[in-house]
Amino acid sequence: MKISIMKLILLILMVTAASGEPDLLSEQAEASGVEIVTEIGPIFQKEFETATTCDRPQHQGNASARLPTVLTPSHYVVRLQPFINGNLSIHGSVDITINVVEATRRVVINMIDIITKNETVQLVSLNSSAPVSVMQQTYDPKLQLYTAVLDGELTVGSSYIFHMEFQGYLNDKLVGFYRSMYRDAQGTEKWLAATQFSPTDARRAFPCFDEPGFKATFDIQLARQTNMTAISNMPLISSEPIDGEDGWVWDTFNTTLPMSTYIVGFLICDFGSVTSNELNHTVYKVWTRKDALNQATYARDVAPDILTYLEDYFNIPFPLPKLDMAALPDFKFNGMENWGLIMYREIALLYDPQFSSVASQQNLGYVLAHEIAHQWFGNLVTPHWWSDLWLKEGFASYMGYIGFNYAEPTWGLLDQFVMDYIHPVLVLDSLHSSHPISVEVDHPDEISEIFDVISYRKGASIIRMMQHFLTESTYKKGLTNYLNALKFDSAKQDDLWHYLTEAGHEDGSLPSELTVKLVMDTWTLKEGYPVISVMRQNTKATLEQEWFRLGGAGNSSRGRAKFASDTTKPSSGTANSSSETVGWWVPITYTSQSNPNFNRTHTQQWMSDDRKSLQITGLPNMTQWIIINVQETGYYRVNYDSATWKMLHEQLKSNHSVIHLINRAQLLDDALNLARGGLLDYPTALTITAYLEKEYDFVPWSSALMNFDYLKDMFERAGGYGLLKNYLLSLIVPLYDSVGFDDNVHDPHLTKYKRVIAVKWACKLGYAPCVNSSAALFEQWMQSSNNESIFSPNVQRTVLCTGISIGGEKEWNAAWSRYTQSNVGSEKSDILSALGCTKEVWILSRYLEWAFTPNSGIRKQDASQVFGAIADNTVGRDLAWNYLQDRWIQILEYFSSGSGHLSKVIKYATATFNTPLLVKELEKFQSDYEGHLGSAVRALDQALESAKLNVASMDAYYDIILQWLENKDQSHSG
Ligand SMILES: *[C@@H]1O[C@H](CO)[C@@H](O)[C@H](O)[C@H]1NC(C)=O
Ligand SMILES: *[C@@H]1O[C@H](CO)[C@@H](O)[C@H](O)[C@H]1NC(C)=O
Ligand SMILES: *[C@@H]1O[C@H](CO)[C@@H](O)[C@H](O)[C@H]1NC(C)=O
Ligand SMILES: [Zn+2]
């Protein structure tokens, strides 16, 4: 059954999800490696590109790209000599020890962009079975499978060494073994070669059994020029000069532990490093361009705390003698957890207190802790197949938060988890185009598509739910048992369920009639989540669950259900009740006004998946509020009767601190989304938000602002925007006043973070004191030199955006020139976004051109960030959309490889679409470019679904919201 993949949303920030930053900037202004620098290069490249991703056919039909299971590899010797400063070719060989599980006449392995030297291929028997020779070699580029057909049968139980020599190529696609360039402080070009194998690109570097379930040990040997360093998963054990090749040596690395191909990694570069001696058994180093070494301090200092804490948490030591982390000028993901050699984009590993904001520091910590958590979840125990990707990504995300929270205990990270992870994914997961987190995939294209918000954030959210319904000590015990039982092996989700159930029953934290599998399968095998509706009567409450969907009764535009595209009004009661008979096992927790206890997060009652209603008794009577889903530990929404909503509102108004800050964030997020879905009237939901004028905590504010962002997007071009703006200002100005515009370095982290959002929103809404302060600082900044610090990095984005938006050509050019000179990734990223704030249409137009022009100064990987900044500008949106319509084919070619960029530009361009005309244009776009949408097919479906939903919402709610704002306005002024 392979339907689910068809409904995937691609709107989603592929792996950048890990940090919450949709587009991160890396160091080089130069679009490095876009051109081939040697004469032989282009010809050589041609040979390869016939089978590369740019024209990789969509996976069709039933042919599976999976490897047969008749052979298993146990050991690899991989030798590679990459000519980084030469013609970019790679001389390589592999010797793979294979064990025969079932008799076969074929050796089938993964490979792409590799030219085999057919005459070198041979099988050497390790236990004197009958010799076999290779009769024929074939290659299937669609399935990325190489086959050697043998003249005899390999017999069960025997072992062979498969030997092959080949030629590879250092590509510029940021996958496999690829090349990258940066300029040092003197402007000299420095080339390097790095790997990015996850999920399916180890096969670009050497032929291999490239599936996570095939674990083996690896001997890596790399040839390098003597002015460079080679690093791999394991420590170097020898360096030997190469006979007849002056200035070259072979580096040999120690044999790895049993591991999957996707976490093999190596790097050949001239980086410098800083070393930490904080770890007992492991030498830890951070590598970066020498010019950026001073930015490695935070990463050097914070990682040992996190690693040590997780070692204790799992009670399993980190098994490698060394751990390297490296910051690359060009990197596909934010970070990649290669065992013993974790690689990052610069912005995700480097931090400069003078020029990087608290937000970028926190993102860095998230990514770093996430990658460290992978050393257990993913590297030690690996998902057997990519269908269970969430098993490693969900855990790395959640355990990363836990580890990082230990290192930075005053940052409220576990509270922030709710607004960073749960709230955004609850929105996505209530669309028809969502997908289950455990999902069948086969072809590499399908595998890439599940590296999305659903796998990461929903995965992490339901793991948090489990931690609470099992209790932390049971959860810990179950995890340790799971990790110990399956280490150096692979696992399926059922394995995890088994160990957690065992621990839960032993400890009595899980009722004996329940298993973790019974409960959790309802959360992992289907998409979506329930809304729990609460009806109270005297001291009882009756709870019911329904599937919560934003877009009308339960049908989708693709796959098994149909989205009613002609719906103009969301019906009230949009939760799907008819077609779904099976619900979720829902852990219910609650507390009440008379006896508020927000620490009790262990399940008080279970709601079963048969959708029978659940009774809670012994509550206070109906003059007092109750709150369900304490600390929002359950992955669901809650809707109350109107009397309870009213009491909650009154509590918030009179003394909100009685309610836990996570539950305040929950009330805001639930109310506004229930209203969006037609389950709660907007006036009630908006009334809840009114207490924010007295709210000074970061987490509820962040949740509120995410929801206000949506309202702002919907209203921005409508006559009622002024009223909305005034209302939002009336809420945000007290927060702004409480933190002030000026950053104080000694403020606590969360105060600074609050300032970031208060200043951003106050200026965005045109609040004069904010705009004036920004403009004045921007003026000074223009006059200043590069290394001068005029304002805190925490207000950098806002100051730059404001200055550029009220300025003209001169201001824009000044900022552009600073962008090209900056040595700090996060500063460059801030400037790049701010450059999209200008109101000069011609400048925006030129900026848009540059975004898609090689060597313009904007890297290919940053093009979608620039596009997004322009599309997010009221003046720029139509420009961006027109550009997309006119130049789609060029854009498609520019982003040749199946990157997430195509879906991002679609998402950015259409984020605010809410009129029938725009829906029509979008439909026309879809049909005009049918068959030429590349990896944006699903993003477009999703954009269309959202745009239609927005049209319906505007239709149904615009007047109601406006009226509420008018009344509010009058009550304010009157
Ligand atoms: C050599 O092997 C490749 C597969 O790697 C195959 O496509 C090609 O046809 C082979 N060439 C010859 C001459 O057998
Ligand atoms: C290393 O030496 C080679 C050969 O002299 C040169 O081409 C290359 O630029 C040098 N690389 C670095 C990073 O200095
Ligand atoms: C290589 O690894 C083995 C096994 O862990 C260890 O005994 C040996 O000392 C290592 N060799 C070097 C040179 O580090
Ligand atoms: Zn990850």
Side-chain angles (χ1 to χ4, degrees):
M1 194 189 69
K2 265 177 34 42
I3 42 154
S4 0
I5 195 75
M6 298 303 291
K7 311 190 289 117
L8 283 180
I9 334 179
L10 258 185
L11 77 131
I12 313 167
L13 333 158
M14 305 289 286
V15 153
T16 49
S19 83
E21 275 285 308
D23 263 300
L24 294 172
L25 186 73
S26 53
E27 183 57 31
Q28 279 300 113
E30 297 285 330
S32 89
V34 172
E35 273 176 281
I36 310 299
V37 290
T38 64
E39 317 90 278
I40 352 174
I43 306 155
F44 195 67
Q45 185 177 34
K46 265 240 145 53
E47 237 177 291
F48 278 90
E49 298 234 311
T50 50
T52 53
T53 39
C54 42
D55 47 19
R56 182 161 65 200
Q58 287 286 321
H59 179 50
Q60 289 156 341
N62 296 322
S64 173
R66 297 291 301 271
L67 294 172
T69 52
V70 296
L71 300 173
T72 55
S74 59
H75 182 65
Y76 291 75
V77 179
V78 179
R79 280 169 72 84
L80 298 170
Q81 181 175 27
F83 294 91
I84 303 169
N85 300 303
N87 71 356
L88 305 175
S89 68
I90 304 164
H91 290 171
S93 72
V94 282
D95 290 276
I96 313 176
T97 307
I98 51 183
N99 306 314
V100 183
V101 180
E102 279 172 50
T104 179
R105 284 174 175 273
R106 307 162 91 82
V107 177
V108 183
I109 52 184
N110 293 115
M111 178 179 102
I112 182 169
D113 287 0
I114 278 175
I115 297 172
T116 56
K117 294 184 180 159
N118 297 24
E119 69 287 355
T120 66
V121 175
Q122 51 173 312
L123 274 175
V124 179
S125 168
L126 286 176
N127 34 14
S128 65
S129 2
V132 284
S133 54
V134 176
M135 282 199 321
Q136 196 199 351
Q137 297 172 59
T138 61
Y139 182 64
D140 183 332
K142 277 189 203 167
L143 302 180
Q144 306 176 1
L145 295 175
Y146 159 93
T147 303
V149 182
L150 311 173
D151 69 348
E153 203 159 73
L154 302 178
T155 48
V156 180
S158 57
S159 301
Y160 294 82
I161 291 181
F162 173 85
H163 174 82
M164 178 197 278
E165 289 164 32
F166 57 88
Q167 195 158 36
Y169 176 58
L170 290 169
N171 70 72
D172 63 352
K173 297 178 191 308
L174 313 185
V175 292
F177 199 9
Y178 70 94
R179 66 185 188 273
S180 174
M181 188 273 282
Y182 74 89
R183 279 178 209 280
D184 66 10
Q186 285 71 47
T188 311
E189 282 187 3
K190 297 291 183 90
W191 287 83
L192 57 99
T195 59
Q196 170 52 51
F197 288 169
S198 171
T200 59
D201 290 308
R203 65 190 68 172
R204 285 174 193 278
F206 55 93
C208 57
F209 291 80
D210 199 10
E211 295 189 1
F214 287 117
K215 288 199 173 183
T217 52
F218 292 82
D219 285 341
I220 304 288
Q221 301 173 10
L222 300 170
R224 62 170 169 93
Q225 282 168 294
T226 46
N227 60 348
M228 300 177 105
T229 305
I231 314 168
S232 185
N233 304 85
M234 296 299 285
L236 183 68
I237 51 177
S238 69
S239 287
E240 283 163 28
I242 306 183
D243 271 355
E245 291 183 56
D246 223 22
W248 282 85
V249 292
W250 272 111
D251 279 349
T252 299
F253 299 89
N254 209 351
T255 309
T256 68
L257 296 170
M259 62 191 274
S260 310
T261 47
Y262 77 94
I263 48 171
V264 172
F266 27 89
L267 172 62
I268 303 178
C269 62
D270 73 334
F271 285 178
S273 66
V274 292
T275 305
S276 162
N277 298 314
E278 295 293 307
L279 294 171
N280 287 340
H281 312 288
T282 302
V283 181
Y284 167 48
K285 288 191 175 137
V286 182
W287 298 81
T288 167
R289 292 182 289 121
K290 292 181 183 117
D291 297 328
L293 266 180
N294 63 328
Q295 300 172 39
T297 314
Y298 185 64
R300 183 197 62 195
D301 294 344
V302 78
D305 287 350
I306 298 172
L307 188 99
T308 310
Y309 180 73
L310 291 180
E311 284 183 319
D312 290 347
Y313 194 100
F314 301 131
N315 198 13
I316 299 175
F318 179 68
L320 305 183
K322 67 93 178 169
L323 174 61
D324 289 299
M325 299 199 189
L328 303 193
D330 268 316
F331 201 62
K332 182 184 174 192
F333 294 157
N334 273 327
M336 177 58 216
E337 70 263 21
N338 310 311
W339 218 359
L341 173 54
I342 307 180
M343 302 209 236
Y344 301 85
R345 287 187 173 198
E346 287 199 354
I347 200 171
L349 190 66
L350 303 182
Y351 169 70
D352 182 329
Q354 197 183 339
F355 295 107
S356 313
S357 66
V358 284
S360 62
Q361 186 182 15
Q362 191 175 299
N363 280 335
L364 183 170
Y366 284 160
V367 179
L368 191 124
H370 175 106
E371 305 310 337
I372 291 178
H374 268 313
Q375 308 302 308
W376 289 268
F377 284 95
N379 298 4
L380 192 63
V381 178
T382 312
H384 183 73
W385 177 240
W386 297 107
S387 305
D388 283 331
L389 173 71
W390 80 271
L391 257 190
K392 81 178 181 76
E393 294 309 337
F395 272 103
S397 300
Y398 188 55
M399 295 315 298
Y401 263 81
I402 291 187
F404 189 27
N405 180 62
Y406 169 79
E408 298 290 1
T410 63
W411 291 10
L413 295 166
L414 298 182
D415 300 333
Q416 290 194 49
F417 177 85
V418 174
M419 105 256 169
D420 271 347
Y421 266 60
I422 303 184
H423 290 171
V425 74
L426 282 175
V427 175
L428 295 172
D429 202 20
S430 58
L431 293 176
H432 302 288
S433 39
S434 190
H435 68 89
I437 53 176
S438 183
V439 55
E440 293 210 20
V441 289
D442 184 297
H443 191 272
D445 287 348
E446 297 173 339
I447 294 165
S448 294
E449 282 161 356
I450 60 170
F451 280 77
D452 67 6
V453 168
I454 300 289
S455 302
Y456 281 65
R457 298 193 190 193
K458 183 175 182 179
S461 302
I462 63 165
I463 288 165
R464 176 172 174 269
M465 175 165 74
M466 258 185 338
Q467 178 201 14
H468 287 275
F469 76 63
L470 289 168
T471 72
E472 172 136 33
S473 61
T474 301
Y475 166 80
K476 239 178 180 173
K477 176 169 154 187
L479 291 187
T480 301
N481 293 344
Y482 161 82
L483 289 169
N484 274 323
L486 293 159
K487 62 183 167 194
F488 308 119
D489 204 341
S490 64
K492 300 182 174 159
Q493 66 176 28
D494 282 352
D495 295 316
L496 179 68
W497 304 157
H498 169 77
Y499 289 98
L500 289 172
T501 301
E502 210 173 63
H505 288 163
E506 250 171 55
D507 294 357
S509 57
L510 185 72
S512 56
E513 67 276 14
L514 282 185
T515 62
V516 174
K517 178 174 169 59
L518 190 66
V519 173
M520 291 306 291
D521 277 355
T522 67
W523 299 94
T524 60
L525 299 182
K526 67 179 173 186
E527 75 260 38
Y529 60 88
V531 50
I532 307 299
S533 57
V534 183
M535 280 138 301
R536 299 175 66 189
Q537 198 184 13
N538 304 322
T539 58
K540 280 193 306 204
T542 305
L543 274 52
E544 273 171 11
Q545 59 164 303
E546 292 175 289
W547 191 345
F548 179 72
R549 322 211 79 175
L550 272 183
N555 299 303
S556 116
S557 58
R558 306 171 67 99
R560 65 163 181 262
K562 282 175 258 81
F563 174 55
S565 58
D566 54 352
T567 305
T568 49
K569 278 193 204 310
S571 52
S572 64
T574 46
N576 180 351
S577 44
S578 54
S579 66
E580 277 300 311
T581 50
V582 181
W584 288 263
W585 278 95
V586 187
I588 301 290
T589 51
Y590 53 88
T591 190
S592 68
Q593 186 171 359
S594 57
N595 185 16
N597 176 354
F598 286 93
N599 294 323
R600 191 173 47 190
T601 55
H602 184 228
T603 313
Q604 286 157 275
Q605 291 192 38
W606 281 98
M607 193 169 199
S608 69
D609 69 344
D610 57 11
R611 305 188 69 245
K612 287 212 183 82
S613 58
L614 177 77
Q615 296 264 329
I616 302 179
T617 54
L619 296 169
N621 69 31
M622 290 173 64
T623 59
Q624 303 203 319
W625 53 258
I626 58 168
I627 283 182
I628 298 203
N629 202 4
V630 175
Q631 291 196 38
E632 205 166 359
T633 50
Y635 184 74
Y636 55 89
R637 296 193 188 281
V638 184
N639 197 3
Y640 302 94
D641 52 76
S642 56
T644 303
W645 277 116
K646 188 151 180 291
M647 287 181 278
L648 287 166
H649 156 65
E650 277 156 11
Q651 180 66 66
L652 288 170
K653 233 6 210 191
S654 62
N655 180 8
H656 62 259
S657 66
V658 169
I659 298 173
H660 192 283
L661 64 89
I662 292 181
N663 284 101
R664 305 204 297 271
Q666 172 208 32
L667 288 170
L668 290 160
D669 188 63
D670 277 356
L672 289 164
N673 281 286
L674 291 168
R676 240 176 113 174
L679 292 182
L680 181 66
D681 61 295
Y682 253 108
T684 301
L686 289 168
T687 301
I688 293 282
T689 67
Y691 95 97
L692 283 165
E693 60 189 15
K694 287 196 253 162
E695 176 65 84
Y696 298 104
D697 267 307
F698 177 66
V699 169
W701 257 113
S702 295
S703 287
L705 290 174
M706 192 181 88
N707 284 285
F708 289 155
D709 217 14
Y710 164 76
L711 285 179
K712 183 175 159 291
D713 281 350
M714 292 304 100
F715 269 67
E716 210 161 24
R717 291 175 170 73
Y721 178 60
L723 282 170
L724 179 69
K725 192 181 72 163
N726 290 343
Y727 176 61
L728 297 183
L729 272 176
S730 76
L731 301 178
I732 200 109
V733 165
L735 181 72
Y736 177 91
D737 289 341
S738 80
V739 290
F741 185 93
D742 297 316
D743 214 31
N744 178 346
V745 280
H746 302 298
D747 277 344
H749 179 80
L750 278 173
T751 305
K752 292 184 187 161
Y753 220 147
K754 254 193 300 189
R755 185 173 294 117
V756 173
I757 59 171
V759 166
K760 173 179 159 195
W761 273 80
C763 273
K764 183 148 95 173
L765 296 169
Y767 184 53
C770 182
V771 173
N772 296 340
S773 302
S774 295
L777 287 175
F778 186 81
E779 273 304 309
Q780 287 179 44
W781 184 74
M782 290 223 312
Q783 317 301 332
S784 69
S785 74
N786 260 342
N787 293 319
E788 243 179 294
S789 174
I790 301 297
F791 42 74
S792 149
N794 294 324
V795 297
Q796 177 161 276
R797 240 177 222 230
T798 298
V799 168
L800 299 181
C801 178
T802 309
I804 289 168
S805 92
I806 56 186
E809 190 180 0
K810 183 166 70 106
E811 286 75 12
W812 199 93
N813 288 344
W816 173 260
S817 129
R818 284 293 269 272
Y819 162 74
T820 58
Q821 290 155 28
S822 170
N823 184 38
V824 180
S826 55
E827 185 190 28
K828 286 173 94 83
S829 173
D830 283 349
I831 303 176
L832 212 53
S833 282
L835 287 166
C837 296
T838 179
K839 301 282 184 249
E840 296 277 355
V841 172
W842 73 270
I843 298 179
L844 281 176
S845 199
R846 184 182 65 180
Y847 196 34
L848 202 47
E849 287 287 340
W850 290 1
F852 298 97
T853 307
N855 303 322
S856 66
I858 299 168
R859 279 176 180 285
K860 194 178 276 200
Q861 69 173 15
D862 297 325
S864 61
Q865 181 191 352
V866 170
F867 183 89
I870 296 167
D872 193 39
N873 178 340
T874 357
V875 177
R877 186 195 71 176
D878 294 344
L879 208 62
W881 172 229
N882 289 340
Y883 189 90
L884 209 61
Q885 293 174 90
D886 291 345
R887 313 279 191 91
W888 179 253
I889 297 296
Q890 284 108 297
I891 294 174
L892 193 72
E893 280 161 14
Y894 191 65
F895 291 135
S896 55
S897 65
S899 64
H901 290 288
L902 288 172
S903 28
K904 279 185 198 166
V905 295
I906 295 281
K907 182 194 151 208
Y908 294 152
T910 61
T912 60
F913 280 17
N914 61 359
T915 66
L917 180 67
L918 288 166
V919 167
K920 263 197 206 121
E921 286 180 18
L922 203 47
E923 278 168 339
K924 181 165 186 306
F925 181 89
Q926 191 180 38
S927 68
D928 283 357
Y929 292 115
E930 206 191 332
H932 301 278
L933 290 167
S935 56
V937 175
R938 292 182 187 95
L940 202 63
D941 279 348
Q942 204 280 332
L944 206 48
E945 183 189 347
S946 291
K948 284 175 181 170
L949 279 175
N950 292 343
V951 171
S953 290
M954 284 298 271
D955 240 41
Y957 309 128
Y958 177 77
D959 291 337
I960 298 172
I961 296 172
L962 206 60
Q963 202 182 354
W964 187 87
L965 291 169
E966 267 162 9
N967 294 340
K968 193 80 194 162
D969 202 46
Q970 275 152 17
S971 72
H972 262 269
S973 45

